[in-house]
Amino acid sequence: MNSFKITCSELGYKWDARFIVMAHHVSLWSKDPSTKTGAVIVRPDKTIVSVGYNGFPRGIADPEYLYDDREYKYPRIVHAEVNAILNAKDTLKNTILYQWPASSCSDCCKMVIQAGIKTVVNPKPSPDYISRWGKEDKLTKQIFNEANITYLEVDINDNSPIAKWLRFIKTTLSISSR
């Protein structure tokens, strides 16, 4: 099976940490107050192909209050990884997808596969995420496995390099927004 959990120390974490932190940063661009997701697609040489966050399609008015109306929001929202795929102006064959805060839904994972992405990296899902989306998460991993997609979950604990980067970024952003 291609799905497994790793720790930051097992990753060549310098670049992987940067791209997960970048996916977190991109997620902050979303106007959705309940779920902010981000995606960064990277070539094997560590250059960025595309980024995306969850939001409404171009041309649809997206005042923040519409994101509170789930009946309005859900049929219109474009997920982060799909936005990143659609925004790419280059081939995605053999690229790496970094996601925040967790894995793709089963619909998006099929688009990831069709786009030619070969590796998916995201933080290990929180217990809250698993309680809400565990069945979907399991299906996504199964589909990635069937398509021979390498799927990596990075354990982000309080002492991991990625957690330290995130704290630094959050502190920097809060200082710069004053």
Side-chain angles (χ1 to χ4, degrees), residues 8 15 19-20 42 48 53 58 63 66 73 78 93-94 107 113 123 134 147 156 178:
C8 291
W15 284 102
F19 292 129
I20 288 176
V42 179
I48 297 166
Y53 56 92
R58 288 185 182 111
L66 289 176
K73 174 177 78 171
V78 179
K93 185 176 181 180
N94 298 319
D107 284 337
I113 294 164
I156 299 179
R178 291 182 188 168

Side-chain angles (χ1 to χ4, degrees), residues 16 65 109 161:
D16 296 293
Y65 71 87
C109 87

Side-chain angles (χ1 to χ4, degrees), residues 2-178:
N2 290 334
S3 176
F4 54 94
K5 294 176 178 62
I6 59 173
T7 64
C8 291
S9 60
E10 293 169 318
L11 275 174
Y13 77 83
K14 179 179 173 183
W15 284 102
D16 296 293
R18 288 174 179 166
F19 292 129
I20 288 176
V21 169
M22 180 179 272
H24 174 267
H25 178 73
V26 171
S27 77
L28 299 176
W29 302 345
S30 172
K31 291 183 180 180
D32 188 341
S34 65
T35 307
K36 294 185 178 296
T37 61
V40 178
I41 301 174
V42 179
R43 295 177 193 90
D45 69 358
K46 305 298 185 198
T47 57
I48 297 166
V49 178
S50 184
V51 300
Y53 56 92
N54 60 315
F56 294 158
R58 288 185 182 111
I60 293 181
D62 67 345
E64 289 186 34
Y65 71 87
L66 289 176
Y67 288 91
D68 291 328
D69 181 349
R70 290 181 179 208
E71 285 186 32
Y72 184 86
K73 174 177 78 171
Y74 284 152
R76 290 168 179 79
I77 201 90
V78 179
H79 290 184
E81 56 274 68
V82 173
N83 258 329
I85 289 167
L86 294 173
N87 289 330
K89 303 299 182 216
D90 197 2
T91 181
L92 299 180
K93 185 176 181 180
N94 298 319
T95 55
I96 304 165
L97 170 65
Y98 292 89
Q99 298 175 269
W100 185 269
S103 64
S104 300
C105 69
S106 59
D107 284 337
C108 290
C109 87
K110 293 178 284 190
M111 292 183 207
V112 167
I113 294 164
Q114 286 298 95
I117 294 168
K118 287 298 178 192
T119 303
V120 176
V121 182
N122 56 261
K124 179 181 174 184
S126 69
D128 177 58
Y129 179 88
I130 292 299
S131 71
R132 293 175 58 209
W133 301 105
K135 186 176 178 181
E136 185 73 10
D137 187 66
K138 186 176 180 178
L139 178 58
T140 293
K141 290 173 186 172
Q142 180 181 343
I143 295 169
F144 279 148
N145 185 56
E146 290 170 10
N148 293 314
I149 302 300
T150 301
Y151 177 80
L152 307 173
E153 282 184 351
V154 179
D155 187 19
I156 299 179
N157 59 50
D158 287 337
N159 296 317
S160 73
I162 295 175
K164 290 175 184 174
W165 272 76
L166 289 171
R167 282 194 298 276
F168 172 76
I169 296 297
K170 287 178 183 178
T171 302
T172 303
L173 289 174
S174 67
I175 291 170
S176 65
S177 64
R178 291 182 188 168

